[in-house]
Amino acid sequence: MNANLMSRNDLVLLLGFSLVVLTMPIWLAPLGAGYPDLLQRFMIYGIFAVGFNILFGLTGYLSFGHAAFFGVGSYTAVWSLKLLTLDAIPAMVLAVIISGIFALIIGFLCLRRSGIYFSILTLAFAQMSYNLAYSVLTPITNGETGLQLTLSDPRVIDAAVGHSFVGQPIPTLFGTPIGGYAGFYFCAAFLIIAFFVAQRIAGSPFGMMLKAIKSNQTRMQFTGFNTRPYALSAFVISGMYAGLAGALLAVTDPLAGAERMQWTASGEVVLMTILGGVGTLVGPVIGAWIIKYFENILSALNDNILARFFDVLPDGVDSFLVKVIGKFVGDGWHLTLGLVFVIIVIFLPGGIMEGVRRIAAAFRNRGSTPRTSNQTQAAE
Amino acid sequence: MTFLKRGLTRRRVLQTGMAGIIGTGVAPMVFTRGAWAQENFCNNPTGDTVTFGLNLPLTGAYAEEGADEQRAYELAIAHLNGEGDGGLLNVLTPSALKGNGILGKKVGFVSSDSQTKSDVARAGATRMIERDGAIMITGGSSSGEAIAVQGLCQEKGIIFMAGLTHSNDTTGKDKRRYGFRHFFNAYQSGIALGPVLGEQYGSQRRAYHLTADYTWGWTQEESIKAATEALGWETVATVRTPLGSTDYSQYLTPILNSGADVLILNHYGLDMVNSLPQAVQFGLRDREANGKQFQIVTPLISELMAKGAGESVRGIFGTSNWHWNLQDAGSIAFTKSFGAAYGSPPSQAAHTAYVQALLYADAVERAGTFYPPEVIKALEGHEFDGMGNGPTLYRADDHQCMKSVLVVQGNEAPTSEFDVLNVVQEVGRDTTTYDPSIFGGELGPAEPAPLC
């Protein structure tokens, strides 16, 4: 990578990010999250959040409907695995293309408005897509039950090259099954690529245009720029990121359910971005990791595990602690997530990345007041 | 070192991945899969404990059933480890269970909240397999979940003992070699319920279906429609409602002008606890249509739902897999030990969960190994008795248990809060047995056992 292409800081950030990502199986193991499925999800939702940030963080358009593109990506990927081949590459290429087209249509309609109206429009379209997937298009989506691979799928390309297999069909990459740690590194490579592309976009003249749209769209228009093509491109790019993430989720775990298109899933990616830090590159990824960690680890704790953990404490104290903490784990993990979210938004409006910056600033020159972060708001 | 091995895999995968992205199209695929030695299978328990993975809906529309299943699994595990009164261990025939765990290993469990969602259930099951080393996954109270998790288990080589799942697809179109179901299915409900409906309501009825919009609802609607149309009934309309709806008024209003005189509620769990009282409060049962009294039928019903629906359930017909008030030795033993532990009679969900845990343990004991293909062989075609459903066969063709089915009716004069359903008829196994080929589907192979 030569110096003209990337600044030194960007390169350090990319390399540091790659290192952190690739060593996740080691440093997450003591936290109880070092197993392939969750690691894959960390990567996948990281990509989703990075893509969402291009629209929300850079351009300032708050979309409440990104789960629709995620779902379209998943369904496309599963259908490609069913109809064409078990290989992951065609599935992912198709998923990105189809979700991009879908984003183009929805973006074209929604970007006629900005601010809250834009958010509501995207929410409406996403909810429509969810309902289509849930009940209207059940022959294509299999509704609530979810779309799965079966032995009797046609798989035209596989059949043409005379490839056969035994057992449950599993997506492959040139013959290597994508499961377990192989699946994790596969997703990790995509996260790093996605991160790199987002970095390039943010630093490019195009990214500058997006930032300008965010800071004052009207002024942009008065200076003679037509902002809509730029906003639409950002929307489509971020829709394609979502499609890529959805496809990866379907490739590593070949089931596409309608729930992943629900408005809660759209809200989740907004939470991830805000929690980590809107407009920052790393923030949304960290937000995604934190939410997925909470969802998968806290929700798996139950009273029995807590009781074992607090066994050393005297009687009465331990049962009291189990009772209180039990409300915040297991099926009550949303409560913990809500509390963390409220605390972060109140004390660190710039998300976790603001916390990181404040700590770094405090270390750099002790005693001086920490810098205030860049405020992030939706486009007017 | 395992990590070194993983590192090598990563490198290879990255290299091939890069080559592929640069290269053209689809390379010919070589699928290599060695035969694994019997010691080398997914989550082979090497220590002195063995872990069950309980995948339970603790939130969502079927949360009530999930909580009851959890109680039953905890009880079953206690009994397998030789704690408590032994429950059904004493009445299962034939039985290889010794009450000292499974193959001498103490049974433990991990659990996961599936939120009554297929995606979440699958993620939870993966976590229990990959992180917690579960040897078997069991539970679930929705067919959507069961089918999703069953596919995953086939992929990982982990046996799945389905909990509450009533869709024909679980052991029909979507059946898997690694999935087993003790619970009955919608088709059997149709066989059992049809004649009783004909007897009670005659052959000149017009039925209106409200159906939970997922695999179970679809297949139950299809089965009940077939059974009632065979009686001479006419189906006016079938309307799908999203799983987890709370307000059914928009679906109930059109029934008034549809010319229907029977409402068939293909709902379960909280859905029915909401829809049935709303239909009754709507005045449907006080109406007359086509010169006949309007009736409501709930093809699948459980004590938990009947309790939740309160007075609305009185006199309403449905089917159940099992009822705590049955008077055989197995049912009495189970109701007694469940009641002693939790202070309430078990639901059919609890029963099927408990039985599944025991049947798996028994199969492992008989196979003498945890190696899944051997355990599958031990379960397939296994004939047993004493679990409260009469003589039962785990059919090899589709992994569906063949046993009797209960037709139940809401109790008109309940004596306690648990005495809400009466068993009207026990339809024997000979009647409810059907040809497995009618639903299609393929089990797939057991061997070589996939390595997760």
Side-chain angles (χ1 to χ4, degrees):
Chain A
M1 213 102 9
N2 66 45
N4 304 337
L5 194 62
M6 286 181 93
S7 75
R8 197 184 154 79
N9 276 349
D10 278 0
L11 194 63
V12 170
L13 181 66
L14 181 68
L15 289 178
F17 180 78
S18 310
L19 189 71
V20 168
V21 164
L22 292 175
T23 53
M24 270 184 132
I26 306 171
W27 62 268
L28 274 177
L31 297 171
Y35 63 99
D37 183 60
L38 184 57
L39 292 172
Q40 287 163 13
R41 273 165 215 272
F42 281 169
M43 300 301 107
I44 290 162
Y45 285 93
I47 295 172
F48 191 17
V50 165
F52 184 73
N53 190 49
I54 292 175
L55 185 65
F56 181 37
L58 281 185
T59 324
Y61 277 90
L62 172 57
S63 159
F64 261 114
H66 254 52
F69 309 124
F70 191 81
V72 167
S74 282
Y75 281 121
T76 313
V78 174
W79 272 113
S80 160
L81 296 172
K82 280 170 92 72
L83 294 181
L84 299 177
T85 165
L86 277 176
D87 198 83
I89 299 294
M92 296 180 47
V93 170
L94 276 173
V96 171
I97 293 171
I98 303 277
S99 56
I101 294 169
F102 195 64
L104 185 69
I105 298 165
I106 291 193
F108 181 77
L109 297 168
C110 292
L111 283 166
R112 295 174 173 272
R113 293 283 172 269
S114 60
I116 186 73
Y117 303 103
F118 169 80
S119 303
I120 295 297
L121 274 176
T122 50
L123 178 63
F125 275 110
Q127 199 57 17
M128 273 163 60
S129 318
Y130 166 69
N131 279 323
L132 281 176
Y134 190 98
S135 48
V136 183
L137 295 177
T138 41
I140 299 175
T141 62
N142 209 15
E144 160 81 19
T145 319
L147 197 61
Q148 279 199 69
L149 306 183
T150 60
L151 279 171
S152 52
D153 292 330
R155 282 188 281 275
V156 188
I157 297 176
D158 284 1
V161 297
H163 163 65
S164 66
F165 59 91
V166 285
Q168 177 75 3
I170 303 172
T172 56
L173 184 70
F174 307 109
T176 320
I178 311 172
Y181 283 96
F184 162 67
Y185 287 111
F186 182 69
C187 298
F190 277 99
L191 176 61
I192 293 167
I193 295 168
F195 187 80
F196 171 70
V197 173
Q199 222 178 5
R200 299 302 304 148
I201 290 176
S204 66
F206 173 69
M208 200 51 85
M209 295 299 279
L210 300 183
K211 285 176 195 159
I213 293 175
K214 178 181 176 179
S215 68
N216 195 333
Q217 182 157 195
T218 321
R219 187 165 57 204
M220 285 280 287
Q221 280 158 349
F222 285 167
T223 50
F225 281 106
N226 185 3
T227 55
R228 272 200 38 218
Y230 290 98
L232 186 59
S233 315
F235 193 89
V236 172
I237 291 170
S238 108
M240 287 164 89
Y241 264 84
L244 174 71
L248 275 175
L249 192 60
V251 161
T252 51
D253 182 12
L255 171 108
E259 298 106 47
R260 62 181 64 164
M261 296 179 89
Q262 217 175 351
W263 65 271
T264 48
S266 300
E268 201 181 55
V269 73
V270 179
L271 288 191
M272 288 169 179
T273 313
I274 294 176
L275 195 64
V278 187
T280 61
L281 278 166
V282 187
V285 182
I286 294 178
W289 291 349
I290 289 176
I291 288 189
K292 284 292 142 188
Y293 181 82
F294 274 37
E295 181 183 320
N296 285 278
I297 303 300
L298 283 188
S299 71
L301 295 178
N302 55 31
D303 287 359
N304 289 318
I305 297 173
L306 285 178
R308 236 176 291 147
F309 185 73
F310 291 118
D311 217 16
V312 284
L313 296 170
D315 278 359
V317 178
D318 65 338
S319 57
F320 174 75
L321 275 176
V322 167
K323 203 160 188 160
V324 172
I325 297 176
K327 298 276 177 251
F328 290 89
V329 297
D331 45 12
W333 70 272
H334 278 111
L335 204 57
T336 319
L337 180 64
L339 274 178
V340 170
F341 190 70
V342 167
I343 290 168
I344 294 228
V345 168
I346 291 177
F347 295 105
L348 294 171
I352 288 167
M353 287 314 286
E354 185 182 338
V356 173
R357 268 197 302 274
R358 281 192 195 179
I359 292 167
F363 268 101
R364 219 171 288 142
N365 46 7
R366 282 164 199 269
S368 73
T369 47
R371 276 185 302 157
T372 48
S373 77
N374 51 331
Q375 289 290 311
T376 42
Q377 254 138 31
E380 296 301 317
Chain B
M1 246 168 83
T2 46
F3 177 69
L4 234 162
K5 245 188 258 165
R6 280 164 193 161
L8 285 175
T9 319
R10 176 200 78 211
R11 223 164 275 159
R12 199 178 65 228
V13 167
L14 281 180
Q15 277 166 359
T16 39
M18 283 305 162
I21 293 161
I22 299 158
T24 50
V26 190
M29 273 159 287
V30 193
F31 210 86
T32 46
R33 233 187 210 174
W36 304 101
Q38 281 226 2
E39 294 73 39
N40 191 6
F41 59 88
C42 187
N43 293 339
N44 184 6
T46 45
D48 54 0
T49 57
V50 55
T51 309
F52 284 2
L54 313 182
N55 208 9
L56 306 160
L58 300 174
T59 49
Y62 298 162
E64 191 94 353
E65 279 74 14
D68 220 37
E69 283 185 9
Q70 175 153 22
R71 288 192 272 271
Y73 283 123
E74 287 176 11
L75 192 67
I77 288 167
H79 289 167
L80 285 174
N81 287 331
E83 297 154 21
D85 62 3
L88 290 181
L89 256 65
N90 309 319
V91 285
L92 174 65
T93 51
S95 167
L97 294 169
K98 302 180 190 75
N100 62 347
I102 306 176
L103 295 179
K105 292 180 198 291
K106 194 167 180 295
V107 184
F109 71 92
V110 287
S111 64
S112 172
D113 176 12
S114 67
Q115 302 175 22
T116 325
K117 290 181 180 170
S118 314
D119 266 5
V120 182
R122 213 166 141 109
T126 317
R127 178 180 60 247
M128 293 190 287
I129 295 169
E130 289 184 350
R131 191 187 67 172
D132 306 324
I135 184 70
M136 179 269 279
I137 298 291
T138 182
S141 334
S142 131
S143 294
E145 282 181 13
I147 289 169
V149 174
Q150 186 165 285
L152 173 89
C153 286
Q154 176 86 23
E155 199 179 292
K156 300 263 178 203
I158 292 284
I159 290 182
F160 174 63
M161 302 297 283
L164 198 66
T165 156
H166 187 246
S167 169
N168 295 338
D169 291 346
T170 313
T171 50
K173 184 165 73 60
D174 295 312
K175 65 190 172 194
R176 295 283 187 273
R177 183 67 66 182
Y178 281 77
F180 289 87
R181 170 162 71 176
H182 170 262
F183 207 69
F184 70 139
N185 64 23
Y187 188 76
Q188 293 176 313
S189 280
I191 300 175
L193 191 58
V196 176
L197 291 182
E199 208 173 280
Q200 295 286 332
Y201 302 142
S203 60
Q204 298 292 314
R205 286 284 187 164
R206 291 164 62 82
Y208 192 103
H209 289 254
L210 286 186
T211 304
D213 194 358
Y214 72 106
T215 171
W216 167 67
W218 305 335
T219 62
Q220 176 162 301
E221 177 189 288
E222 181 189 301
S223 295
I224 299 298
K225 204 172 139 187
T228 50
E229 282 175 359
L231 294 171
W233 291 22
E234 196 183 320
T235 306
V236 180
T238 56
V239 175
R240 305 275 163 90
T241 64
L243 180 62
S245 303
T246 48
D247 182 5
Y248 288 88
S249 49
Q250 54 166 322
Y251 302 108
L252 293 170
T253 321
I255 299 173
L256 298 177
N257 301 318
S258 64
D261 48 34
V262 177
L263 170 63
I264 295 177
L265 282 178
N266 298 308
H267 288 155
Y268 198 76
L270 201 56
D271 280 7
M272 186 185 285
V273 170
N274 286 320
S275 67
L276 180 58
Q278 283 176 25
V280 172
Q281 278 157 24
F282 206 69
L284 282 183
R285 291 183 81 190
D286 309 323
R287 286 181 82 238
E288 279 201 5
N290 311 329
K292 301 183 196 77
Q293 181 66 35
F294 196 97
Q295 299 293 352
I296 300 178
V297 178
T298 57
L300 178 65
I301 191 159
S302 80
E303 313 71 56
L304 290 174
M305 288 145 55
K307 226 171 91 186
E311 289 183 12
S312 312
V313 82
R314 290 181 186 176
I316 283 179
F317 284 99
T319 57
S320 280
N321 188 51
W322 179 81
H323 189 269
W324 61 271
N325 208 9
L326 291 174
Q327 290 307 312
D328 60 289
S331 303
I332 291 171
F334 183 53
T335 306
K336 185 166 150 273
S337 55
F338 193 92
Y342 306 112
S344 65
S347 66
Q348 59 175 352
H351 173 256
T352 201
Y354 182 97
V355 172
Q356 283 282 66
L358 254 58
L359 287 176
Y360 172 78
D362 178 62
V364 173
E365 289 281 355
R366 280 186 292 115
T369 170
F370 286 101
Y371 184 59
E374 292 298 323
V375 180
I376 290 171
K377 259 183 236 157
L379 276 169
E380 283 180 344
H382 180 49
E383 178 84 52
F384 59 93
D385 197 359
M387 301 301 251
N389 304 98
T392 308
L393 167 72
Y394 237 127
R395 194 156 69 174
D397 310 278
D398 57 356
H399 294 185
Q400 169 72 46
C401 267
M402 288 298 135
K403 53 187 168 31
S404 54
V405 170
L406 306 179
V407 178
V408 295
Q409 187 182 20
N411 198 341
E412 296 280 7
T415 53
S416 75
E417 59 167 325
F418 305 114
D419 182 27
V420 282
L421 291 176
N422 286 336
V423 178
V424 180
Q425 198 185 345
E426 193 168 341
V427 182
R429 171 172 145 186
D430 298 339
T431 320
T432 58
T433 300
Y434 60 90
D435 177 9
S437 63
I438 57 173
F439 292 121
E442 261 179 272
L443 283 172
E447 280 183 285
L451 196 68
C452 63

